[in-house]
Amino acid sequence: MSKIHAAITAVGGYAPDYILTNDELSRMVDTNDEWITTRTGIKERRIQKGEGLATSDLAVLAVNELLRKRGISAEELDLIIFCTTTPDMPFPATANVFSHKIGAINAWGFDMQAACSGFVFGLATGAQFIETGKHKKVLVVGADKMSSIVDYEDRSTCIIFGDGCGAALLEPNTDGYGVIDTVLKSDGAGIPFLHMKAGGSLKPASHETVEAREHYAYQEGKAVFKFAVTNMADVAAEVMERNSLVADDIAWLVPHQANKRIIDATAARTGVTADKVIVNIDRYGNTTNATIPLCLWEWEKQFKKGDNLILAAFGGGFTWGSLYLKWAYDSK
Ligand code: UT7
């Protein structure tokens, strides 16, 4: 029997309506459009507004689109891997909250916390359940409401992040399409440079932690940049070399959208030309777990059956990884 691969058979996405522009940010903190554009490539990002809305609500909209496109109901899902750094609550898992909201009554699920590498880790994990034959339909969601943990008084972080969600459905394929290979890494030596100081068991929430603004994302940008720029490029190159792929074999490079300069470095290292590098950071900023699936969602119509895609991510932890995927369908 031919090997079972986990193929993406549908994607969905959602970005909230509210657009936070560089100009609006420049009225909130000491920054300007020129600085943000040249240092990051970001022009605007989306923000989820409204009382009582959370990360899972972004996912409901994205996944309802996916299910509609695939022509299946939520009840057909076997497993939901919810990749997020901004869960609705510390517990239970947002996978539970979300599956209840969409009526995925036959699925089990869990949250994947790997910061900006979450979606790549989630796809790699979900693929295992398909490849073993255990499951037929695995939903991998990448969603973050970064505005809930961003300090809008800290100009070095608030300019980067945005809210959004993307999702992909994995199903078995025996014709050689789907997830072919992955290179996944993590190293806790990166903790000091990107983390949230309070709200966990190390430092539970208190008046003092709130006053000290310790429930916001803390980032030493320059240090993170240095690691991201080499590591994301290295894993992308590694997964290509391991599979004897050269730049001309790659239809699309799908990089995590953290900084246009990191994307450019990854493209340069792999030799993939700019016309094949997916970039939407200018419109969404860094949506953490959602960057890569939002790219897949926006470019879906341009993908052809058999296209070689290289996904590459880098995030807090540090975590990083790359995934080689053979696209499984022509979009209608
Ligand atoms: O997605 C997960 C991982 N995260 C990342 O990959 C992010 C990686 N890091 C970065 O993208 C960049 O480091 C940043 C965009 C966060 C910062 O860019 P940078 O080129 O590394 O700037 P910097 O931190 O070295 O700061 C340069 C200068 C500083 O001023 P002085 O000390 O040179 O006078 C900052 O105070 O720019 C200043 N600065 C700003 N100026 C205007 C920092 N933020 C701003 C700002 N507007 N928003």
Side-chain angles (χ1 to χ4, degrees):
M1 202 184 91
S2 1
K3 182 180 177 346
I4 302 172
H5 285 105
I8 292 181
T9 55
V11 292
Y14 174 72
D17 293 337
Y18 189 87
I19 297 174
L20 176 58
T21 62
N22 289 350
D23 285 338
E24 185 175 351
L25 276 171
S26 70
R27 294 191 289 276
M28 296 157 67
V29 289
D30 182 15
T31 190
N32 56 74
D33 175 54
E34 203 264 331
W35 192 96
I36 302 171
T37 306
T38 53
R39 298 290 180 121
T40 70
I42 302 167
K43 297 299 278 184
E44 57 190 42
R45 63 291 288 143
R46 302 297 185 92
I47 303 295
Q48 186 187 41
K49 298 273 186 184
E51 279 297 303
L53 293 176
T55 299
S56 63
D57 297 295
L58 299 169
V60 167
L61 293 160
V63 171
N64 279 337
E65 182 203 338
L66 178 154
L67 295 172
R68 201 169 53 245
K69 277 158 71 177
R70 183 70 187 93
I72 60 168
S73 78
E75 293 180 16
E76 292 177 60
L77 298 173
D78 299 311
L79 164 62
I80 295 170
I81 302 178
F82 202 104
C83 313
T84 187
T85 303
T86 52
D88 286 19
M89 296 177 268
F91 80 92
T94 306
N96 289 91
V97 181
F98 167 75
S99 58
H100 183 62
K101 283 184 179 174
I102 60 160
I105 51 172
N106 297 308
W108 67 288
F110 57 89
D111 286 5
M112 169 71 69
Q113 163 59 294
C116 299
S117 305
F119 187 76
V120 169
F121 282 24
L123 271 187
T125 306
Q128 301 296 306
F129 286 93
I130 297 286
E131 288 168 14
T132 58
K134 173 89 179 157
H135 290 319
K136 298 281 181 260
K137 288 185 171 54
V138 175
L139 179 71
V140 184
V141 180
D144 271 300
K145 180 179 181 170
M146 291 306 292
S147 59
S148 66
I149 59 163
V150 162
D151 184 352
Y152 286 97
E153 292 184 10
D154 174 7
R155 69 176 181 173
S156 65
T157 53
C158 73
I159 53 136
I160 302 171
F161 294 105
D163 303 340
C165 175
L169 182 68
L170 293 173
E171 295 187 74
N173 183 292
T174 49
D175 297 324
Y177 301 101
V179 176
I180 308 293
D181 196 14
T182 58
V183 176
L184 307 169
K185 314 252 185 188
S186 60
D187 182 358
I191 295 166
F193 309 113
L194 187 49
H195 60 266
M196 187 192 286
K197 294 188 186 301
S201 57
L202 176 67
K203 209 176 199 189
S206 67
H207 287 295
E208 289 73 25
T209 61
V210 172
E211 262 164 38
R213 309 181 81 75
E214 290 179 341
H215 299 268
Y216 293 121
Y218 171 85
Q219 176 172 266
E220 292 179 24
K222 221 189 240 317
V224 178
F225 185 92
K226 214 177 87 195
F227 282 97
V229 86
T230 49
N231 286 330
M232 196 165 104
D234 281 354
V235 279
E238 188 180 335
V239 87
M240 283 171 61
E241 277 155 29
R242 240 165 61 163
N243 291 279
S244 307
L245 295 167
V246 295
D248 282 348
D249 300 320
I250 307 304
W252 301 100
L253 177 65
V254 194
H256 170 52
Q257 313 277 308
N259 186 314
K260 179 66 165 56
R261 291 182 288 145
I262 300 172
I263 295 171
D264 291 345
T266 305
R269 175 85 162 77
T270 55
V272 175
T273 51
D275 55 317
K276 298 194 287 185
V277 181
I278 298 184
V279 179
N280 60 13
I281 191 171
D282 50 323
R283 288 174 291 119
Y284 300 125
N286 182 351
T287 53
T288 304
N289 285 272
T291 60
I292 289 177
L294 276 175
C295 287
L296 297 178
W297 173 61
E298 286 205 326
W299 264 258
E300 181 194 20
K301 287 202 163 46
Q302 298 185 56
F303 297 158
K304 303 258 177 315
K305 189 172 178 177
D307 275 357
N308 289 325
L309 271 63
I310 299 291
L311 280 47
F314 183 90
F318 293 133
T319 54
W320 66 106
S322 189
L323 184 146
Y324 165 35
L325 174 78
K326 220 174 231 314
W327 196 252
Y329 62 99
D330 292 318
S331 192
K332 284 167 217 95

